[in-house]
Amino acid sequence: MKSHVMILATGGTIAGISQTPAQSDYCAGQMGVQDMIDAVPDLKQVARISGEQIANVGSQDMSFDILIHLTCRINELMTQDDIHGIVVTHGTDTMEETAFFLNLAVNSPKPVILTGAMRPANAISADGPLNLFNAVAVAADPDARERGVLVVMNDRIHGAHSLTKTNTTSVETFLSPVNGLVGTVNYGKTAYFRFPFRRHTCLSEFSSRFCQPPHPALPRVDILYACVDMPPDLIDFSLAAGARGIVIAGDGNGNMNQGTMKNAAQKAAQGICIVRSSRVPTGTVGRNVELDDDSLGFIVSDELNPAKARILLMLALAKKYGTSHIQQLFYTY
Ligand code: ASP
């Protein structure tokens, strides 16, 4: 008997349509889940398929409301013995954030696979159908269990912790620059290289919170982008607007200018969590390299880019954890 894979659709370019097959402008989130399934009849070769529409947005419009609804639905479906894996179709713009959030919040060892497309569904050489086929194959594969939330795009299997979008238009946009791929998938044939190194899903301390209502309210965390002569008072504006934590997308190894550093240290002394991440696309941010984090009271993001660091900080602040514990979380997740 074939595995049963549920496809949860949220929109994106994989559900996008352009006026003609050879033009760059298009509208994301146009097709419904059943149309996407019907467009790839070969899906039936690899699994029994059913679909459900969670949302239909460009992922630039993904919200925590949709994300929490998606997470709870996944956690609910995964309790059913007759569901073996879930595929989430999603826009690529914020796919890494959704994947990382689910990696922390899904409470099941069964495969959860995100996929999408860089070209709309009716484009010449649309990449969505094969991505969907490969994603279903990975979701149906028992060897994909216990590997955390995965992203399948362009024949690659990425871990949620490590992948990042690196190109605005190329089908080879996702890379896993720090830790490498989890595996590959070629017309449904899978090969795995490793398990993710960081804690995830069932072992995550956050996953039980998204099973039963009430779900935790997530505090606002802002990302501030470091640059030449960065205005230090951006931190004050964020806090005045209600942010409870700040992620600095720092220069290089998470650096910031003197004015920003002094202001951030003052806020850290008042109990605001300041996380140093980096605007550089690859590499880690280390403690006490050019800045003395121990005396400034800062947290470093280690391997997490600013967008993922923000998600971990939001979940940690919702649990009311303190600075030193949150630092440990950045080495754990
Ligand atoms: N803006 C689109 C989205 O993220 C891009 C894509 O899906 O590739 O929904």
Side-chain angles (χ1 to χ4, degrees), residues 12-13 26 28 57-60 91-93 117-118 165:
T13 298
Y26 69 97
V57 295
S59 72
Q60 56 273 39
T92 60
D93 288 357
M118 291 300 287
K165 186 172 181 177

Side-chain angles (χ1 to χ4, degrees), residues 152-303:
V152 168
M153 290 281 293
N154 206 31
D155 293 2
R156 314 281 199 260
I157 307 174
H158 299 269
H161 172 93
S162 48
L163 93 155
T164 190
K165 186 172 181 177
T166 64
N167 191 289
T168 52
T169 55
S170 166
V171 293
E172 180 65 346
T173 187
F174 284 106
L175 299 177
S176 286
V178 178
N179 278 325
L181 294 174
V182 170
T184 58
V185 51
N186 188 246
Y187 291 101
K189 190 173 180 316
T190 52
Y192 300 99
F193 311 148
R194 66 176 179 89
F195 281 83
F197 304 114
R198 298 302 183 101
R199 197 179 293 170
H200 57 76
T201 56
C202 308
L203 294 178
S204 158
E205 66 209 89
F206 306 105
S207 59
S208 60
R209 311 200 83 198
F210 296 96
C211 295
Q212 301 287 337
H215 309 297
L218 296 175
R220 173 168 164 168
V221 169
D222 285 358
I223 298 172
L224 303 180
Y225 194 94
C227 52
V228 167
D229 226 354
M230 177 182 188
D233 56 6
L234 289 177
I235 295 174
D236 301 289
F237 293 126
S238 277
L239 296 179
R244 299 242 326 271
I246 302 284
V247 174
I248 310 270
D251 315 303
N253 201 338
N255 290 315
M256 62 199 87
N257 59 20
Q258 290 285 324
T260 304
M261 179 194 72
K262 285 184 186 139
N263 195 5
Q266 259 177 26
K267 301 302 185 290
Q270 292 160 18
I272 303 293
C273 282
I274 308 283
V275 175
R276 294 196 299 114
S277 182
S278 178
R279 67 182 205 180
V280 175
T282 177
T284 58
V285 175
R287 276 193 79 78
N288 304 322
V289 178
E290 287 188 64
L291 293 175
D292 184 354
D293 295 293
D294 291 345
S295 58
L296 295 166
F298 297 162
I299 294 163
V300 296
S301 72
D302 192 37
E303 292 181 0

